[in-house]
Amino acid sequence: VQMQTDFEIEASHLRRFRANFSGSDEAVRFPKPLHVTPETLVLSRETGRELAHVLSEQHDAPASPTKAAGVPMQLSKQERKQVASTSMSSYMRMVFEDHFVHGDLHPGNIMLHLDPPRAETQGVVDQLRSFVRAASSGSAGKAGRDFELVILDAGLAIPLPQDKVEVLRSLAISIVYSDFARAAEILYNQSPDKSRCWDAASFKSNMAAAFRDCRKDIWEEGRVQVSDTCLRALHLVQHYNV
């Protein structure tokens, strides 16, 4: 609670995130603290639209090039993949490289900002000229992207000890290589108190099944709802007293 009521703490989090992502490959930025006291925080003005609104409009809005706040009402499939990829790589960077994680990272705390803004009347030739100029000047990297994600509300941030990062790394590798039994074993071993667990083998078996079903959804439906798997895991932890 203190993290989210003391604005000096949030300002320090923002400075750390900005330093961590400066020069990174991710198209991500954080607001810059301009003035801060424990009760007041003034940040740089950031433009864009909440990612939650942009995503909800993919189903509700008519297919048209209409834009609001510089962001198309509808994103193409490739654009959605780019936004998803950037979101995932940014989170992986926080966990595995920086060991400092935004504690409230959801679409309502992320804005989609086009950089540079796309002109409705810009023709193909103009787009090619812009690309050639960027490439010849060596600025075709971060500055030449179509969008940036602006991450807000850094009041809650979590530093990760090195040993926990290594556990998460092992867990992720086990799931990626479909070693679900190993993933369940790793999770079980991380319990601070297993003395009240009444069936460790059944817990591990059901946890492995939860991880397996998560991967199955990717292959069969082309998507995965990570929150569903996390909720299922929490239910198992509660049920088996792990």
Side-chain angles (χ1 to χ4, degrees):
V1 175
Q2 183 184 2
M3 284 187 182
Q4 302 196 64
T5 57
D6 186 339
F7 285 122
E8 288 185 331
I9 294 177
E10 181 167 354
S12 70
H13 292 167
L14 286 169
R15 294 188 188 101
R16 183 167 176 178
F17 280 125
R18 286 172 60 85
N20 289 346
F21 279 83
S22 64
S24 73
D25 293 331
E26 287 80 16
V28 169
R29 73 167 184 258
F30 295 80
K32 180 180 180 179
L34 302 176
H35 174 76
V36 60
T37 70
E39 297 81 23
T40 307
L41 178 59
V42 180
L43 302 174
S44 57
R45 182 177 181 180
E46 305 294 340
T47 59
R49 301 197 63 215
E50 280 189 17
L51 189 58
H53 292 167
V54 175
L55 295 176
S56 67
E57 287 163 355
Q58 300 309 296
H59 302 289
D60 301 335
S64 72
T66 304
K67 298 182 180 180
V71 179
M73 294 288 284
Q74 294 241 324
L75 299 177
S76 68
K77 181 178 180 180
Q78 181 61 28
E79 288 171 328
R80 293 197 301 272
K81 289 177 66 175
Q82 289 175 337
V83 169
S85 176
T86 298
S87 301
M88 179 60 74
S89 65
S90 299
Y91 190 73
M92 293 298 101
R93 178 187 181 85
M94 291 180 191
V95 174
F96 296 113
E97 291 190 33
D98 301 330
H99 306 174
F100 189 67
V101 181
H102 191 296
D104 195 18
L105 200 57
H106 58 81
N109 279 339
I110 302 174
M111 290 199 304
L112 182 62
H113 169 81
L114 294 185
D115 183 31
R118 302 174 186 175
E120 290 288 340
T121 57
Q122 187 182 34
V124 174
V125 174
D126 290 332
Q127 294 180 42
L128 288 173
R129 285 173 178 165
S130 298
F131 178 80
V132 171
R133 282 197 297 270
S136 61
S137 65
S139 61
K142 188 169 184 176
R145 290 186 181 89
D146 290 333
F147 71 90
E148 280 186 312
L149 298 181
V150 184
I151 299 181
L152 310 171
D153 193 7
L156 180 61
I158 306 165
L160 295 176
Q162 182 64 41
D163 61 327
K164 296 302 181 184
V165 173
E166 294 307 318
V167 168
L168 290 172
R169 196 189 311 277
S170 298
L171 182 65
I173 291 173
S174 297
I175 294 174
V176 167
Y177 285 96
S178 301
D179 191 351
F180 306 118
R182 172 61 179 158
E185 181 74 26
I186 291 171
L187 204 59
Y188 176 78
N189 289 337
Q190 286 304 300
S191 172
D193 182 9
K194 300 183 285 289
S195 62
R196 296 173 58 226
C197 179
W198 49 274
D199 192 340
S202 181
F203 169 79
K204 295 175 189 178
S205 176
N206 280 286
M207 188 63 71
F211 292 139
R212 186 179 300 108
D213 290 346
C214 181
R215 286 292 302 270
K216 182 181 178 183
D217 289 343
I218 297 176
W219 291 110
E220 294 185 354
E221 301 180 22
R223 62 179 180 82
V224 59
Q225 190 70 23
V226 177
S227 60
D228 290 347
T229 303
C230 292
L231 185 61
R232 185 173 170 184
L234 289 173
H235 284 161
L236 290 171
V237 168
Q238 182 184 40
H239 180 69
Y240 287 97
N241 295 322
V242 174

